[in-house]
Every structure is written in structure tokens, then in C-alpha cells.
Amino acid sequence: MHFRRPGRRRKFTNMFIVTFGLACYFVPALALWPFPKKRFTGNSLMAAGSLGLSGDGRVVAFGDFDGDQLLDVLVLGSDQQTFTVHHWNHEDFIFEDSGTFKHPRKIYNVVPGDFTHSGKLDLLVMSQSQTNNQLDLTLYPSLPGNGFDLKRHPDTNNPLTLPPSTLPQPIPIDVDGDLKIDLLGITPTSTGSSDSIYQIWQNVWNASFQDAPFKGQQCAIANPHSNAVVDLDGDCLADVFLVCDDGRGGKTYQIWINAKDEGFFLSQTGALPSGTQSISFADLNRDGTIDMIFPTCSRVSSSTGVGTDCYINIAYNQQLPLCSSPTDSGLRKGIRICRKPEDLCTADPNFKFDLSDNTDNQAFVKFPVSSLFPSASSLLVLDTTYTPSLPVQLKLGDANLDGFPDLLAITVSGSDQVPNLVYSVSCAHGVAGCGKDGSGSRGWSLAQKGVESLQDVKDARSLSFVDMDEDVGFRVFLLHHTKGLIWRIQGTLDIMVQRTGKADQGNFLFIQNNFYYDAFFLKAIVLNGACDNGWCYGPNGSEKYHPFGVSYSGASYKYTVLDTAGRRSAAQVGQLPQTSYHSLQTPYSFFGLGRTNNYIENLFVGSTLHTAEHYINMEGVIPNSKVVIFPSTNEGQDWKRELFLRPGEWIPWVTVTVVVGMIILAIIVFVLHLNEKREDELERRKISHHINFDAL
């Protein structure tokens, strides 16, 4: 038996310290090399500039015009006649001009959509008419092979002419359940009718328009209006919300419920509060129903568009809640009192909006703008830089991914028009939108930290939520039998600010939402079933492409998710509910999930199909992903679903760290092993030379 010397242990320790220090010195250099430098590094809203957009025009529509799953923009020049499509270039991080063309008359609105059912976006242009009180409707079809690349588009001189509309802009809607885009509005010949005011521009080649299948007392649609195609009774089938002119200077609303082949039935009517401006729709309190929010102002300047003495109003949709327990049947004495998580698309015929302003009505909230913006009590509600003036909406989107939509608003102080981001927060004492005792569903708090890039803007005229860039990646998971390359997506909502161009600041400013949020998101898009099996083919098979750019108004999403405490909640999101008056809504739907340590339990995806099952239920959807749905128009045929997953940004760093760490540890083990063998050999030799005197 023998004992090792203490100096030997110190030698091993010193060697380990030196090796570890060298590893710490060299690993960062090795890890930094394979990856490009981050474009944005601050934890704030960061100004990204105009991203290639220039001139004195304005963005009038979003759309994926080339089908690459990257959002493009349509810019209209200051003459209100010249179009420019800008395709997004991911490599250079800018929008690239794809050419221009000029419409012969002043343009009022543009609606991108696949009206020809070819799997590519067309352009429906609403423009000034030679006849008073009319809108000319013109369709510029996208051509196979070129899409809407205007530098190569040979047919802009031969558009399709549709029958005209009255000044209230028609809205896209799928009336007959074939997933083709029809139009709902009023024609010059229908204004004198008391029974069939609403007309349908049916998407067929052998007819112009027909009486709308709306069964009930019809109203005169207001101009401007906030008409929407969105599910309001909870069955995942889009209904119709119409804003009407009461003929006395006020506004009313009508809700028409979609009964598929039986048409639309008038479900609810009511008066809107005095001074109502544009209405926006979203699930504001995350209860699985679509609510509405809108400002009211006592006075609005026709020259500046500024509303004074303004309030923000929220009307919550009252309908069946989510059952508190998954084992609850949802029935009491044969009457349904709640929805089970697997039955989210169950209609509630007793749903209602109550817009009465009294203390007993908990489903209607009204609070002054000054309580939310102490330094400004006026809102920009009309954009007078465009002719005719455009309504300015409160734009909704989940900027912090907590599952509750936030909002964008433009406040006015003196001559400054400042964009603001407002977060939806839990109710507490002193929070705007909550009771004096802190009671209420949700409150609102002005974002003040890290928003200098917004506060520096003094000439905003329009705001929009938009995902500014969608990084390139690979398909890592899917829900059907498709292979190949895809795009992975960005996980936050950014902001586009359109400006009046004062002080030579330009008309466009994009702001990167670079805050770190410990939460998840989901992005979804329902296509219009234009092509079978997800592939489209040009004439004579000359081109093969995915119809990725052809979403449509009316799709609906409902989902349930568990938070980190195990509480279950439901939420609902609509796809393109509004398109009129430059609504500037993205073709995809984006919603935050909040903090969760689980998959999305049930994701219900609804369409406008007139089939027994107009929706599907997807179970176990992975968060931080994009879902693309190809609905089938054939009864009984499965819908095609694809899921695109965004790898976490730390995965490459973790991989490099693990690999380098394993190599370093292997080297340390090998060196220590050699050293151990050498020391053992030296000790063996020393022992062999010792003389055992006891044995002599």
C-alpha cells in the first residue's frame, strides 16, 4: 500500500484551471464565427427606417403577391392613381420595387384577393366614377408565370370591369360556400328597393349581381362604415356585421347570422353611441368570443380629422363560456350552459351585445381618452391627407404575446400626431378601463419604456401591426404528407407608421418590436381551396406553385391552452374581418398564447364552406409555429394541414456550446489519462528499486 503525494493533486488542479480558462477564452470566438450578427440588439421598439419604401405615396394593402410566404405591400402614389407592388427581399431586408402601373381614375380602395381562383392574388380596385355617387369596380387579374410582378405583367391594360357600387364600399364575402370571393354591397339600381337593398356580386362568369340572401329588414349602409365578416355567435362560421345610417345623423348596427344554404338571418340590431367612429373586432378578454372596440368623439374637425372629448368604448360579446372543468358535460337539465374544450364551435343563439351605458351593464366599458393619455385628450379619427378622408381605426394586435390584444392609437397634442402602443393589462386600482375599486375584465396601460422610436414621430397618419420579416428556414415538422423547403416565421408583431412627410422624414417608418417576451405565439392562414393537394398549375402545366398567398375573409380560429398554473382558457381570432377604407389587415392571423408549458390542446379552424362540418379540430399543435390550412370543397375529403415550426434563436448557440464543451472535456480527460499513466509508471519504477529490509 502507498499514498499519492499532495503535489500531484495540485498539478492536476492547475492543469484543469488552465485548460478551462483557455476554453472560456476560445469558445466565444468559435461560437461567433458561424452566425451573422443580429440586426437588432436592443430590448425596445427600434426604428428600422423605411425599408426601401420611398416617395410621397402610402401603403394601401398587404398581400403575398408572389406566393413566397413573405408579406409584400401595395403602395399608391400621391396622385391616387399609380400603383407599385413592393416584394419583400429577405436577404437584403428591404422591399423591392416590382414596377408600376396607372389606373385611369382616382382610387378609393384596393382589395387584394384571389378573385379568379387561380391560386394567386388579384387586385380589386374601387375608384371614382364618371357618375356621381358611384364607385367603379375594376379587377386586375394576376397572370400565371408572373404573378403580380408589374415589370413583367403584360395585362394591366386589359382589366375586368364589374358592375358599379354606390359610395359605401362593398366588402368581400363568401356567400354561397364555395370559398370564392363574392362582394356584398349596394348597387345604384337597388337603392330604391325596400326589400332587397343589399346586393351580391357573385363570383361567376355568367352573371353580374343578384339579391343578397339576407332575410330581414335591411338598412342603408353608412359611408364610411366598419362592416365586418367575422364569427359572432361562436360556431366558427363567419357572420356579417353592418353599420347603418339611421337618416338622422346617427348610426345603428345589424348582425346577420350565417345559416349556410338558408342564407343570413337578422339576429340583432341596435343604436351605436353618438359620435361613434370606426369599429374594430377582436377577442379582448380572452373568453373565446369576438368583442368590439371603438372611439366616440363629441366633435370631429373635417379639416384636420381630430376628434375631441373622446372616449374609448368596449362591448363584450355575451355568450356561452368555456366550461371550468374538462369533465363538465356543459349541460344543465338539457340546456347548454358552457362549451367543452372539444366543442368550441357550438353556436350560441342567445349571444348579444349590450351597448347601454349604465353601471349595471358589466359587458360595456367606456372611459375617457384622457385617463389613458394624460398629455393628450384628442384622437386622430380621420386621415384628411387622402381624398375622400379615411377613417382611422384603433388597430388591434397582441404585441407582447400574453394572449390579450393590445392596441395602437394616434393622439393629437397641438400640431403633433403621435403614435402610441397601449397594452392590455389586468384590472387594478387606477388602471384605465377598470372600475374605481379596480374591478373589471381588462384594463389598458400606455407603453412608456423602450418606445422612444414611437414617441419621436410627430406626424403619424396611419398605424398598422405587421410582421416585418419572416426568416428563412426548413420544414422541421408537418401535419400531412408534404416534403420540401419552407419559410420559418418571426415571433413578434412589429409596427408600420405612415407619416405625412413633415420635416423631410419620409412617409414610411417601420418599427421592430425587439422586446423579449417570455411567451409563445401562433400564426395561421386559411387558404381559399383554389388548387387540389396544395399545388397549382399554369396553362398546359407551364408552371407549378403553391397558393400560399390567397387567404380570404371569413376564416375563424378558436383554441384552448393551459397556462403554467394549469388554468385553461379559450380565445378566438378572425381572418381578414375588414378590408374597406384601407383597413390594412394582414392576410394571416397572429395571436399570442401567453406563457404555457404545453401544446395547444384544441385548435379549431373554421371556413365558410356550406358543408356539414365547416371546421376541423387540430389537437396538440406546437406553439411558436405557423399553420397553413388547405380546406377541401369536396364533402368528406380531408383538409390538408401544414405546420411550420420556428426554431428558437438559442438552438445554434446551445449546439455549438455542447459540441465545443464535449471536445474540450474529451481533451482534458485524455490529457489527464496520459498524465495518470505517466505518474503511475514513475511510481512503479521507484517502488521496484526499494529494498525491503525486513525481509533480510
Side-chain angles (χ1 to χ4, degrees):
M1 176 179 295
H2 65 278
F3 298 92
R4 298 190 179 183
R5 295 182 298 274
R8 182 177 170 187
R9 180 176 297 176
R10 287 196 300 270
K11 187 183 294 184
F12 289 164
T13 303
N14 293 337
M15 182 180 294
F16 179 82
I17 293 174
V18 171
T19 307
F20 183 79
L22 291 173
C24 293
Y25 180 82
F26 286 110
V27 165
L30 293 173
L32 285 173
W33 176 74
F35 306 103
K37 185 179 179 180
K38 283 188 176 182
R39 191 177 301 273
F40 301 101
T41 56
N43 187 31
S44 63
L45 297 182
M46 307 192 68
S50 63
L51 300 183
L53 300 184
S54 60
D56 55 0
R58 63 186 300 128
V59 174
V60 294
F62 295 127
D64 182 7
F65 291 96
D66 51 3
D68 61 354
Q69 295 202 73
L70 299 176
L71 194 67
D72 310 314
V73 298
L74 180 67
V75 175
L76 182 63
S78 58
D79 61 356
Q80 295 189 212
Q81 291 180 258
T82 304
F83 281 121
T84 308
V85 173
H86 292 264
H87 292 151
W88 177 252
N89 184 322
H90 170 77
E91 298 298 329
D92 296 332
F93 205 77
I94 61 170
F95 289 102
E96 290 185 337
D97 185 348
S98 69
T100 63
F101 78 99
K102 191 171 185 178
H103 189 71
R105 302 192 68 82
K106 183 179 292 186
I107 294 168
Y108 288 173
N109 191 38
V110 183
V111 179
D114 184 16
F115 294 90
T116 57
H117 221 59
S118 64
K120 291 191 175 182
L121 283 185
D122 312 308
L123 286 181
L124 175 66
V125 177
M126 304 176 189
S127 60
Q128 186 181 54
S129 175
Q130 294 181 346
T131 304
N132 291 334
N133 300 321
Q134 287 189 16
L135 287 178
D136 284 343
L137 305 182
T138 307
L139 181 67
Y140 290 91
S142 175
L143 298 184
N146 292 339
F148 235 94
D149 186 343
L150 299 180
K151 292 181 179 178
R152 301 184 295 166
H153 202 288
D155 203 33
T156 54
N157 294 324
N158 298 289
L160 304 175
T161 301
L162 283 65
S165 162
T166 54
L167 289 180
Q169 297 177 9
I171 59 174
I173 181 177
D174 176 20
V175 171
D176 46 11
D178 59 359
L179 298 182
K180 294 181 180 179
I181 302 176
D182 310 306
L183 295 176
L184 169 65
I186 300 177
T187 63
T189 57
S190 69
T191 54
S193 173
S194 59
D195 298 327
S196 301
I197 301 176
Y198 306 153
Q199 296 288 292
I200 293 294
W201 287 255
Q202 193 174 12
N203 194 341
V204 294
W205 294 106
N206 57 359
S208 55
F209 53 83
Q210 62 184 19
D211 291 344
F214 282 59
K215 302 176 182 179
Q217 184 63 44
Q218 301 178 8
C219 69
I221 296 177
N223 180 38
H225 59 70
S226 303
N227 297 349
V229 180
V230 64
D231 173 31
L232 295 174
D233 66 346
D235 60 355
C236 299
L237 183 64
D239 308 306
V240 176
F241 181 93
L242 298 179
V243 177
C244 308
D245 189 341
D246 65 3
R248 302 183 299 273
K251 294 179 180 179
T252 62
Y253 69 92
Q254 292 186 339
I255 296 177
W256 297 82
I257 297 302
N258 191 343
K260 298 184 180 178
D261 289 335
E262 298 179 12
F264 292 79
F265 293 87
L266 183 60
S267 171
Q268 186 176 341
T269 63
L272 291 169
S274 176
T276 293
Q277 306 302 314
S278 294
I279 303 174
S280 303
F281 296 86
D283 185 356
L284 298 173
N285 56 351
R286 198 177 183 181
D287 64 347
T289 63
I290 296 295
D291 312 306
M292 54 182 175
I293 181 172
F294 54 93
T296 54
C297 300
S298 61
R299 295 179 300 277
V300 177
S301 170
S302 59
S303 59
T304 63
V306 177
T308 55
D309 190 21
C310 294
Y311 288 77
I312 292 179
N313 306 262
I314 302 173
Y316 291 107
N317 194 337
Q318 301 176 72
Q319 57 176 272
L320 292 172
L322 179 69
C323 294
S324 58
S325 170
T327 59
D328 191 342
S329 65
L331 299 174
R332 295 292 186 275
K333 297 181 180 181
I335 301 176
R336 183 170 295 278
I337 62 169
C338 63
R339 294 188 178 99
K340 299 172 65 177
E342 61 271 19
D343 294 326
L344 289 185
C345 292
T346 300
D348 180 3
N350 299 317
F351 84 97
K352 67 175 181 178
F353 288 97
D354 186 353
L355 275 66
S356 58
D357 184 16
N358 57 67
T359 56
D360 296 331
N361 183 13
Q362 301 298 318
F364 184 76
V365 176
K366 179 179 181 180
F367 59 94
V369 167
S370 57
S371 67
L372 185 58
F373 307 103
S375 60
S377 59
S378 301
L379 286 178
L380 184 70
V381 295
L382 286 177
D383 180 3
T384 58
T385 63
Y386 194 84
T387 306
S389 298
L390 294 172
V392 178
Q393 295 179 316
L394 298 176
K395 292 300 178 69
L396 299 172
D398 194 354
N400 57 2
L401 308 183
D402 64 350
F404 296 92
D406 310 304
L407 64 86
L408 295 172
I410 300 176
T411 56
V412 181
S413 178
S415 61
D416 293 340
Q417 298 176 182
V418 181
N420 298 272
L421 172 62
V422 181
Y423 290 126
S424 174
V425 297
S426 299
C427 264
H429 178 70
V431 175
C434 302
K436 294 181 179 179
D437 58 351
S439 62
S441 180
R442 297 293 294 179
W444 302 88
S445 175
L446 178 64
Q448 297 179 334
K449 183 178 180 181
V451 295
E452 290 78 12
S453 56
L454 274 180
Q455 296 173 346
D456 290 342
V457 177
K458 306 300 181 183
D459 59 345
R461 59 176 174 176
S462 173
L463 297 173
S464 300
F465 280 113
V466 60
D467 189 355
M468 204 163 65
D469 182 41
E470 303 185 20
D471 299 336
V472 180
F474 296 91
R475 173 179 287 127
V476 295
F477 184 79
L478 52 98
L479 296 177
H480 207 66
H481 311 290
T482 309
K483 298 179 180 179
L485 297 177
I486 61 95
W487 303 101
R488 65 182 172 90
I489 61 179
Q490 190 77 9
T492 56
L493 280 180
D494 309 306
I495 300 171
M496 183 185 73
V497 183
Q498 299 203 67
R499 313 175 65 170
T500 59
K502 293 180 181 178
D504 298 326
Q505 296 295 321
N507 282 25
F508 311 98
L509 174 64
F510 289 87
I511 295 178
Q512 168 77 21
N513 184 356
N514 213 51
F515 285 112
Y516 172 73
Y517 302 112
D518 185 17
F520 294 94
F521 70 94
L522 188 70
K523 202 172 184 179
I525 183 171
V526 176
L527 307 184
N528 67 344
C531 308
D532 294 332
N533 299 319
W535 286 101
C536 298
Y537 298 89
N540 303 319
S542 58
E543 184 188 10
K544 181 180 179 181
Y545 55 92
H546 284 294
F548 281 137
V550 292
S551 67
Y552 74 106
S553 297
S556 182
Y557 309 93
K558 272 190 172 185
Y559 69 90
T560 57
V561 67
L562 293 172
D563 63 16
T564 53
R567 293 184 295 265
R568 180 179 287 101
S569 61
Q572 184 173 14
V573 181
Q575 177 173 289
L576 276 175
Q578 295 171 309
T579 58
S580 302
Y581 304 96
H582 301 193
S583 297
L584 280 180
Q585 295 183 339
T586 57
Y588 51 79
S589 296
F590 184 102
F591 33 101
L593 303 175
R595 297 188 64 188
T596 178
N597 52 13
N598 207 341
Y599 297 116
I600 300 172
E601 292 184 308
N602 296 277
L603 173 64
F604 287 85
V605 182
S607 70
T608 54
L609 288 170
H610 290 184
T611 57
E613 294 292 338
H614 59 272
Y615 61 87
I616 59 172
N617 179 13
M618 300 170 60
E619 297 181 350
V621 177
I622 301 175
N624 281 19
S625 60
K626 178 178 180 179
V627 181
V628 179
I629 309 296
F630 301 82
S632 174
T633 56
N634 299 322
E635 184 79 35
Q637 184 174 342
D638 291 339
W639 294 13
K640 182 179 178 182
R641 293 97 72 187
E642 293 186 0
L643 187 142
F644 304 94
L645 188 63
R646 176 182 180 266
E649 64 178 2
W650 289 105
I651 288 180
W653 299 101
V654 172
T655 303
V656 170
T657 303
V658 170
V659 171
V660 173
M662 290 179 64
I663 293 174
I664 293 174
L665 290 175
I667 294 174
I668 292 173
V669 170
F670 181 71
V671 171
L672 293 177
H673 175 70
L674 293 180
N675 194 50
E676 179 77 10
K677 288 184 65 177
R678 185 176 64 83
E679 293 287 343
D680 288 345
E681 180 64 22
L682 290 176
E683 287 191 3
R684 187 186 63 79
R685 291 180 180 178
K686 290 180 179 179
I687 292 174
S688 66
H689 289 85
H690 288 177
I691 299 175
N692 190 345
F693 293 97
D694 293 338
L696 297 178

